[in-house]
């Protein structure tokens, strides 16, 4: 097994790909019986410090419907200077530049170690990055101040030639013109009126000189026609100006009477931001960064009225169809998100407020465009400040870890078809021979647009084996998939990253063991979870759970070893052993459970779940628990109530929260101040150890997790208690008095109960 | 007659006397005493009544006589005739009106002679003389005769001009002769000075007039006697001399006139027969002929059409009617000045006719509102509607509630009745005023309007004295004055909240046109200093008014000029279809707090738009924005809009060019005056509701559709200023001066005006710049000291002669400091059962004001021709009614005009000829609309000079004299080519330079060596250090100071092409656009009257 683990790991590191199955069932029928679909998690821009981009353009298959990129799997006739496409078997001439090619003089793309390769395209104008700040001014003074400082700070982090723009909103929406001297100028829009893109562009005076791309390309950014540059200016030119402007930003001056929410025109503001970029820089990398401190309360996209006595919708209201603004608002934001995606721009949402801010309605803006979604309590928290700062971190090359306007193009060999993708992408609706009719996630296309992505952005991509049972694949046959990602690098270059992978086909009948062994249960868990979450967006929660359960049972039936009707005989091989446990925690996760979560929180969690890579996703499904004690070095322990012991310090990472929990005794010791006594320095160290580790996680994580430091009996301990497997509850009192663990007051089933049922169902012949 | 007339006044006064005796007497006494001897004229109208009552009749007599004369001079004929009879009847003199009345009957045989004017030679008949103010006729006839005899008229004209003296001499002689006789008869009591005019007027109505008119020239002879007294005499002389044309006809006549003159006198004699037998013969003679002519007239008159508007028909006919012989506005004005300009006008007595608007006088408020606030068409109202209908004299009051007063007169006292608010009648809600009758020992009061009996609140109680007056009457303005103010309580405020101080918003067009002409730069520069002079209340240190700024082309730019900002912030609103105000805080600011930011803004505005290429503008959204801003700030205020072009950008209120000259004189002509779309009215209504007044400054290069654009200013009580083809070099001064005045003038906001009347009459119609949402309340978003509301009354019941009629105008407004106040004006009028009383107490200027407004409103709905005809008909009816009921029986051929209305024809003709009612080829549609709306809110003084411009000769009077030179009549005949004249009508100012003006004069005024070197169209006189230059410039300055709008000077050279423009304002002449000359019109009017009488 070690070999497969290594293989998987190696593949992930090299190609950013994790397949649920690493050996593929060779017929359609068999594949469907495998329960977990053939799918992969793809991290298109996985950081590859060891992979310098090549400075030329890829060689494409000449068949118009294929256009696959030359790769190590292609057969090459060095003498005839021909290569055969491994997807469509078209024979292609090498371009003239490849004249000197030979077995010993291969271009990089033909070398096996370059199954992933990156090309740099020199053609075309390099348009600068664009950052458009959309700032809510209906904030508390402190919040606004903190936000202003963050924004001012961010100016120093932006590339100097990046274009930056500012839109502020409250009751009205103001588009600030940045080029004016001596007087600050802004265009103001009513916050209640939905405007078409055309109207917006007319009103901003962008219509006439709206630069056709042809014209703009050859021109340097600073020579852009006047109109487009008024609102978007290079940072280096106006950073002083903009700093002052931000400094002078005032809270929305319109009076808010008692019992009312401030009128906040988020919907219109976003609409204008989208329209502005649409009119000036279509198909150029751009981020719309929305900073909002509350729910939209007027105009299109309003989520809640301004009467404080009517609270914002809850899951309860939604279930009862009592959220009167939700549908309309969602529609508005979806329309915007789609337009934005079509333009290749992305929308970030930074929502900081104690109450909900309408993320549920607005989520599509970030989800469909690959933007970030950050939720915090206040702009005046390190959570927001550091998260925001982290957006502008740079990689080993000194480039921003963000890319824009990507299109992901997938090609498969004939035995496979593409069923769909789940992640921060939209379909480009490109039909082709390799597009399946069965959709999983966003399907019906072989190309997707990912308007904003970073090195960790990960898509789940689902395939369908279409090879018929009666047309067996010859032994040793391999299926291939090519991922071609066009994108705008943060250095403004256009680049193409091509990843070509191949896996062996195996006949299920004869080679089930191989297939079983090549099962990647982690990837499978995440991929199934993504499917589940994707369904949960549109289906009732219980339906999704039932579907998940059924899948799990079927999987166990398929791959478990058992005697019929004998639950005790049930065994799963190592490559499946953790899978049920993942499912158990997934069922309890906020991605599928809305109880105790607001609609906004659910949207937020789901947003991140749909874009993080495998490791992070797994943490989200099943948080990691570390235990610190005097008994030895820190060790991972079971996410179980039995791990909660008096003399331990626990560190739990749920991705969204980092919880440090002091056991009862430890807490008492600390209260007694032992850590300050020289003779108990080791205790001090013990206390410090989890803090240091937490710090390490905090440093790397995006978005910044909520950092919780609590102890036995502390109110915040609930974060821990709600996550651990309730192996001991008030229902199984036998554990009382035992030294191990702490009972959880819950009616939730524990993992043991869950497993018992699972076994029983798996072995029963009823289903 | 005398008796009757004299009697009525007495009783009427009788009542007041008991009430007022104390103070009136004293005051009067003083005045009368002093005045009587020295200047009988001053006392004239007003005092008369008083005098009559007062014992010293001697005194009274003197004045009256004098009084009469002046009046007579103008129309003398009529009056005089009467006068003659009255001669000694002081009564006549006293109340000018009465005098006239009396005269009228006897004397004013004006009529027939006029006829001659028609072109009929036949007319020639001797008859002429008896005519109208006998003189006129006389002359006419004479003319004819002479003319007939010697076709010379024209030539004679020429000859005449120069020989004025001769002419006059001749004319004078006869006159003098006449006079001589008269004076003896009547004059004795009168001082000679006065006597003269008086004489003319009263006694020989006919003769005097004759003399007055024709002889003006002759003045010479009389002068001696006259001189002292009156300019009129001189003026007459002057004009006649100067006017070549005029002269032309007369000369030949001169001799005949004399004879005729006598003739005319004749008519009088019948009246006076006892006294003046000598005359009779003449008169008779005259009469005889008169009859003759009439028939003739009939035929010529048919010429009426001529008058209609096309002068065509009567090209050359020798004029039979000597212009000098017909009532002269100049004379009337001069007489009134001399008679009444020296004594304060004391308002204590009911129904006094105030001095003319052209007269400088002081007012002492003793219970009635000053004529500066209210003027009426008649101060004696018919008791019944039948009478009113018969007379056809419109009953109207021209009210200027916030009129500014000369520094010598105190502005209305502010009365604070505390929390309970002003004391009012429970039933009709009239406010406490001097006419309220306290009864039951002061515990109750009876409302003077509705007779309801109200309790006096305890805190207001006061004992009564033996006359029934409250002891504290003189301590309380509301019990002793005609005009005063109440502090309003919160009940009188919008939303029951005291108002915040108002705001001014400057909204500047920054489209290409505005930038190119330099307007924006000029304006911004000016605003920097101008903002320090915002109106403030009383002694306040700084103005409470906040200011805001907006610029616009096809989008709007708002500016945040909050004091805490380092630099102004501009906010662009491009959503003009759905206007809103993008900011709250920082838009309206205190000027002193935000000075730095504002200055910076005003510096930058011209720079920012220097390169603009935007030519389209919007309009409605701009006003809407201003209104919304005020709404958001919860205050009233004023928008100053500086606009250059037709708003054709896509937005509400978008307009298209619909200027179509082909529509003129068709039934569709009215559409040119109507707004294009309803959006403007709707907007105006919203503005009014918010108390948002709009002042519009237009700088058009071409058609901008003033008719539509001015709707909002018009309905919100704002003003429109128009500077066609604005160029900084030429129009800067005019614009800046208007702007300064407009910004600095005191304004009331969010006002509601209501006019209450005593039972029997009711305010039924209103004219002016305001909005009305119901039939009684005049709503004014803003009201300044120049705005006037004309109110028409109708009977709905009988009035009581004893109690008279009361008017109370209450204006609720927010002062510029944000204080809510009520300004109350009270005016008591007499009521009469005799039509003669009505005609004796009329005021022609006010009447014209009303009729002009009525007509100008009429063009919105009716064809212009119909409107003109209506005016003519009404005028004819008025005069015919007089002729029929008040004038003594005489030949139908005589034109007899009431003394008070003798200028009605000439003024009315001016109205008929005005650009709105009879456009010339060079008048644009915009100009007509502009003038139309201007006139709508003009006061009496403004309409007076607007319709009959002032023409001032510059070199006639000695250089040292500091007073304005006496005006001459607005006719080309009065221009001497060796002189220079200033002509002004309140909007325009011309300096006409005769071709043969002395070189020295040219040099000292224009700093060039000859006439030919003077730049035609020059608008500024060089500043030269010589007496003439100083004097002329000083005069120009003082003229400008009198008018609410800056008049740009235009130098016009004789025979230059600009002269056409100038001649347009010589309103006694035939106008190019077809307007009738005064003489022609008078003839036409006479014909109309005769038709009515028959």
């Amino acid at each position: 097994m070690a070999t497969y683990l290594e293989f998987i790991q190696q593949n992930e590191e090299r190609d950013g790909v994790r397949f649920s199955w690493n050996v593929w069932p060779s017929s359609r029928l068999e594949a469907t019986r495998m329960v977990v679909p053939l799918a992969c998690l793809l991290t298109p821009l996985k950081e590859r410090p060891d992979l310098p981009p090549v400075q030329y353009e890829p060689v494409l298959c000449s068949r118009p419907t294929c256009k696959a990129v030359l790769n190590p799997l292609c057969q090459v006739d060095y003498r005839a200077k021909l290569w055969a496409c491994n997807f469509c078997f078209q024979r292609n001439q090498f371009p003239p530049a490849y004249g000197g090619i030979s077995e010993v003089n291969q271009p990089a793309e033909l070398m096996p170690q370059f199954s992933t390769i990156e090309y740099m395209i020199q053609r075309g104008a390099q348009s600068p990055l664009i950052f458009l700040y959309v700032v809510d001014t209906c904030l508390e003074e402190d919040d606004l101040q903190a936000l202003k400082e963050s924004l001012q700070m961010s100016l120093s982090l932006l590339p100097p030639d990046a274009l930056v723009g500012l839109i502020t909103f409250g009751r009205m929406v103001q588009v600030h013109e940045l080029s004016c001297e001596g007087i600050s100028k802004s265009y103001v829009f009513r916050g209640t009126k939905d405007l078409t893109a055309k109207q917006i562009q007319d009103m901003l005076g962008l219509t006439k000189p709206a630069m056709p791309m042809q014209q703009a390309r050859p021109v340097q950014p600073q020579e852009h026609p006047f109109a487009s540059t008024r609102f978007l200016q290079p940072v280096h030119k106006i950073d002083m100006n903009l700093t002052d402007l931000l400094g002078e930003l005032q809270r929305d001056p319109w009076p808010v009477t008692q019992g009312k929410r401030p009128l906040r025109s988020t919907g219109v503001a976003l609409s204008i931001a989208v329209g502005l970029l649409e009119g000036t820089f279509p198909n150029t990398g751009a981020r719309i960064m929305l900073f909002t401190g509350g729910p939209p309360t007027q105009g299109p996209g309003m989520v809640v009225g301004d009467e404080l006595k009517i609270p914002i919708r809850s899951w309860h209201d939604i279930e009862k169809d009592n959220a009167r603004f939700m549908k309309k608002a969602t529609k508005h934001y979806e329309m915007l998100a789609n337009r934005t995606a079509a333009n290749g721009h992305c929308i970030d949402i930074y929502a900081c407020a104690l109450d909900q801010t309408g993320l549920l309605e607005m989520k599509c803006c970030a989800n469909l465009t690959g933007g970030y979604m950050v939720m915090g309590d206040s702009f005046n928290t390190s959570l927001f400040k550091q998260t925001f700062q982290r957006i502008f971190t740079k990689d080993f090359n000194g480039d921003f870890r963000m890319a824009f306007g990507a299109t992901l193009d997938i090609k498969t060999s004939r035995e496979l078809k593409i069923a769909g993708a789940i992640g921060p992408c939209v379909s480009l609706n490109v039909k082709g021979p390799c597009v399946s009719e069965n959709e999983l996630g966003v399907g019906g296309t072989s190309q997707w647009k990912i308007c904003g992505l970073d090195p960790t952005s990960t898509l789940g991509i689902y395939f369908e084996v279409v090879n018929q049972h009666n047309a067996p694949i010859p032994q040793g046959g391999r299926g291939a998939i090519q991922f071609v990602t066009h994108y705008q690098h943060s250095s403004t270059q256009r680049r193409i990253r091509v990843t070509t992978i191949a896996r062996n086909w195996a006949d299920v009948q004869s080679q089930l063991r191989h297939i079983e062994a090549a099962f990647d249960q982690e990837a499978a868990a995440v991929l199934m979870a993504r499917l589940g979450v994707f369904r949960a967006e549109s289906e009732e929660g219980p339906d999704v759970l039932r579907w998940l359960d059924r899948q799990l049972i079927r999987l166990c039936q398929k791959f478990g070893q058992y005697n019929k009707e004998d639950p005790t005989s049930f065994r799963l091989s190592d490559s499946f052993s953790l899978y049920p446990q993942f499912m158990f925690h997934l069922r309890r996760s906020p991605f599928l459970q809305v109880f105790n979560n607001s609609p906004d929180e659910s949207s937020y969690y789901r947003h991140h779940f749909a874009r993080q890579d495998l490791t992070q996703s797994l943490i989200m499904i099943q948080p990691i628990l570390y235990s610190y004690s005097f008994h030895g070095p820190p060790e991972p322990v079971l996410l179980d109530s039995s791990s909660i012991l008096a003399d331990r310090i626990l560190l739990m990472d749920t991705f969204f929260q980092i919880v440090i929990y002091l056991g009862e005794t430890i807490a008492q010791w600390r209260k007694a101040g032992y850590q300050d006594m020289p003779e108990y320095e080791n205790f001090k160290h013990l206390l410090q150890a989890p803090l240091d580790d937490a710090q390490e996680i905090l440093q790397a994580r995006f978005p910044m997790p909520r950092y919780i430091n609590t102890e036995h009996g502390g109110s915040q301990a609930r974060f821990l208690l709600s996550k651990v497997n309730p192996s001991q509850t008030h229902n199984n009192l036998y554990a009382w008095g035992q030294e191990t663990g702490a009972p959880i007051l819950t009616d939730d089933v524990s993992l043991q109960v869950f497993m018992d049922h699972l076994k029983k169902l798996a072995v029963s012949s009823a289903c | 007659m005398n008796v009757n007339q004299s009697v009525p006044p007495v009783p009427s006064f009788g009542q007041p006397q008991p009430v007022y005796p104390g103070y009136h007497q004293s005051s009067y006494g003083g005045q009368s005493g002093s005045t009587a001897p020295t200047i009988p004229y001053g006392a004239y109208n007003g005092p008369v009544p008083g005098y009559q009552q007062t014992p010293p009749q001697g005194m009274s007599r003197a004045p009256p006589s004098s009084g009469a004369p002046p009046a007579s001079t103008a129309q003398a004929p009529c009056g005089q005739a009467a006068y003659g009879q009255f001669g000694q009847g002081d009564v006549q003199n006293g109340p000018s009106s009465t005098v006239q009345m009396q005269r009228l009957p006897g004397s004013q045989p004006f009529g027939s002679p006029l006829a001659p004017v028609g072109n009929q030679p036949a007319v020639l008949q001797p008859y002429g003389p008896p005519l109208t103010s006998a003189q006129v006729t006389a002359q006419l006839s004479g003319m004819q005769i002479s003319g007939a005899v010697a076709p010379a008229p024209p030539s004679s004209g020429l000859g005449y001009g120069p020989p004025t003296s001769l002419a006059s001499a001749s004319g004078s002689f006869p006159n003098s002769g006449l006079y001589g006789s008269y004076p003896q008869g009547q004059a004795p009591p009168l001082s000679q000075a006065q006597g003269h005019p008086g004489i003319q007027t009263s006694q020989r109505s006919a003769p005097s007039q004759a003399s007055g008119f024709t002889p003006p020239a002759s003045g010479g002879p009389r002068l001696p006697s006259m001189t002292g007294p009156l300019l009129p005499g001189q003026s007459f002389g002057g004009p006649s001399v100067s006017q070549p044309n005029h002269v032309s006809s007369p000369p030949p006549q001169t001799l005949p006139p004399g004879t005729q003159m006598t003739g005319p006198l004749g008519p009088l004699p019948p009246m006076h027969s006892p006294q003046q037998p000598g005359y009779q013969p003449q008169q008779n003679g005259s009469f005889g002929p008169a009859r003759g002519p009439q028939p003739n007239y009939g035929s010529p008159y048919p010429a009426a059409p001529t008058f209609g508007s096309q002068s065509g028909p009567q090209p050359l006919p020798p004029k039979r009617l000597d212009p000098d012989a017909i009532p002269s506005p100049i004379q009337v004005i001069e007489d009134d000045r001399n008679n009444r300009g020296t004594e304060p006008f004391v308002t204590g007595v009911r129904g006094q006719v105030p001095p003319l608007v052209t007269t400088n006088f002081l007012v002492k408020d003793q219970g009635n509102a000053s004529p500066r606030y209210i003027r009426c068409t008649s101060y004696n109202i018919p008791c019944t509607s039948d009478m009113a209908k018969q007379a056809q004299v419109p009953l109207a009051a021209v009210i200027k509630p916030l009129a500014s007063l000369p520094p010598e007169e105190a502005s209305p006292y502010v009365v604070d009745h505390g929390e309970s608010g002003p004391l009012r009648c429970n039933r009709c809600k009239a406010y406490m005023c001097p006419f309220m009758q306290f009864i039951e020992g002061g515990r109750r009061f009876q409302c003077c309007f509705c007779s309801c009996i109200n309790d006096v609140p305890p805190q207001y109680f006061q004992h009564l004295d033996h006359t029934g007056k409250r002891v504290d009457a003189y301590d309380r303005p509301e019990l002793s004055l005609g005009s005063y103010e109440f502090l309003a309580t919160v009940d009188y405020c919008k939303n029951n909240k005291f108002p915040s101080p108002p705001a001014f918003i400057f909204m500047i067009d920054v489209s290409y046109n505005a930038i190119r002409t330099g307007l924006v730069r000029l304006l911004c520069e000016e605003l920097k200093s101008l903002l320090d002079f915002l109106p403030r209340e009383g002694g306040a240190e700084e103005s409470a008014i906040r200011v805001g700024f907006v610029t616009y082309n096809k989008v709007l730019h708002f500016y945040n000029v909050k004091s805490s900002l380092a630099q102004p912030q501009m906010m662009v609103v491009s959503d003009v279809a759905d206007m809103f105000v993008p900011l709250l805080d920082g838009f309206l600011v205190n000027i002193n707090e935000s000075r730095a930011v504002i200055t910076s803004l005003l510096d930058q505005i011209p720079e920012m738009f220097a390169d603009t290429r935007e030519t389209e503008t919007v309009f409605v959204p701009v006003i809407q924005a201003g209104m919304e801003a005020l709404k958001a700030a919860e205050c009233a205020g004023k928008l100053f809009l500086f606009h250059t072009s037709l708003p054709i950008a896509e937005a509400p209120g978008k307009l298209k060019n619909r200027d179509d000259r082909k529509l003129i004189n068709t039934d569709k002509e009215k559409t040119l005056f109507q707004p294009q779309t309803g959006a403007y009215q709707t907007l105006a209504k919203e503005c009014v509701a918010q108390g948002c007044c709009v002042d519009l400054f237009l700088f058009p290069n071409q058609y901008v559709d003033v008719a539509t654009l001015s709707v909002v200013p018009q309905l919100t009580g704002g003003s429109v200023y128009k500077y066609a083809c604005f160029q900084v070099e030429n129009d800067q001064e005019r614009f800046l001066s208007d702007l300064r005045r407009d910004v600095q003038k005191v304004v009331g906001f969010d006002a509601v005006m209501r006019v209450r009347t005593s039972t029997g009459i009711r305010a039924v119609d209103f004219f002016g710049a305001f909005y009305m949402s119901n039939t009684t309340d005049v709503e004014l978003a803003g009201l300044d000291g120049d705005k006037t509301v004309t109110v028409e009354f109708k009977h709905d019941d009988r009035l009581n002669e004893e109690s008279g009629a009361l008017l109370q105008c209450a204006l609720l407004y927010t002062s510029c400091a944000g204080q809510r106040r009520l300004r109350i004006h009270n005016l008591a009028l007499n009521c009469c059962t005799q039509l003669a009383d009505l005609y004796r107490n009329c005021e022609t200027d006010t009447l014209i004001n009303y009729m002009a407004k009525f007509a100008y409103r009429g063009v919105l709905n009716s064809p212009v021709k119909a409107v003109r005809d209506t005016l003519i008909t009404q005028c004819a009816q008025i005069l015919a009614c007089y002729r029929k009921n008040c004038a003594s029986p005489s030949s139908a051929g005589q034109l007899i005009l009431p003394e008070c209305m003798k200028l009605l024809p000439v003024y009315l003709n001016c109205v008929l000829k005005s650009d709105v009612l009879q456009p010339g080829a060079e008048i644009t549609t915009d100009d007509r609309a502009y003038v139309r709306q201007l006139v709508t809110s003009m006061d009496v003084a403004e309409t007076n000079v607007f319709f009959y411009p002032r023409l001032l000769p510059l070199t006639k009077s000695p250089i040292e004299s500091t007073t304005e030179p006496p005006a001459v009549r607005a006719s080309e005949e009065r221009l001497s080519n060796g002189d220079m004249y200033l002509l002004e009508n309140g909007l325009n100012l011309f300096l006409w330079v005769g071709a043969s003006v002395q070189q020295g004069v040219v040099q000292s005024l224009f700093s060039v060596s000859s006439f030919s070197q003077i730049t035609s169209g020059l608008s500024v006189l060089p500043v030269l250090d010589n007496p003439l230059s100083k004097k002329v410039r000083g005069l120009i300055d003082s003229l400008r100071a009198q008018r609410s709008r800056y008049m740009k000077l235009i130098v016009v050279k004789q025979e230059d092409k600009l002269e056409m423009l100038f001649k347009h304002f010589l309103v006694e002449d035939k106008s190019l656009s077809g307007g009738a000359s005064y003489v022609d019109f008078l003839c036409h009017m006479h014909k109309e009257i005769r038709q009515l009488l028959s």
Side-chain angles (χ1 to χ4, degrees), chain A residues 172 174 177 180-190 192-193 195 202-204 241 245 248 250 253-255, chain B residues 559 562 565-575 577-585 600-601 604 608 632:
Chain A
M172 315 269 172
Q174 281 177 268
E177 191 172 300
C180 19
E181 291 298 322
I183 186 164
S184 60
K185 190 170 167 186
S186 59
Y187 283 65
V188 189
F189 295 83
R190 204 190 265 276
T192 51
K193 195 175 174 189
L195 299 164
D202 279 350
M203 289 179 185
L204 290 176
N241 205 330
L245 189 58
E248 283 199 346
Q250 297 295 315
W254 302 89
Chain B
Y559 295 93
K562 203 163 138 178
L565 293 175
Q567 59 182 33
Q569 289 177 352
M570 171 180 180
M571 306 177 117
V572 184
V573 172
S574 4
D575 189 1
D578 191 7
M579 190 38 64
F580 62 98
V581 182
L583 75 172
L584 181 61
D585 200 16
S600 149
L601 171 67
Q604 287 183 51
M608 270 191 296

Side-chain angles (χ1 to χ4, degrees), chain A residues 403-440:
Chain A
F404 297 92
T407 54
L408 172 63
D409 188 1
I410 302 179
K411 306 181 188 310
T412 61
S413 45
R414 291 174 176 172
E415 301 83 3
L416 282 175
K417 282 191 192 286
I418 305 158
I422 297 179
C425 60
V426 290
S427 160
L428 282 177
N429 277 321
V430 177
K431 311 287 185 204
C434 53
V435 176
S436 163
E437 286 176 359
N438 298 321
E439 291 189 21
L440 287 176

Side-chain angles (χ1 to χ4, degrees), chain A residues 133 150-159 164 235 238-240 242-243 246:
Chain A
Y133 295 152
S150 288
L151 293 176
Q152 286 170 331
M153 176 275 300
S154 73
L155 293 180
S156 63
L157 301 176
L158 294 176
V164 58
V235 175
I238 49 91
D239 59 346
M240 290 304 288
L242 185 52
T243 306
L246 287 169

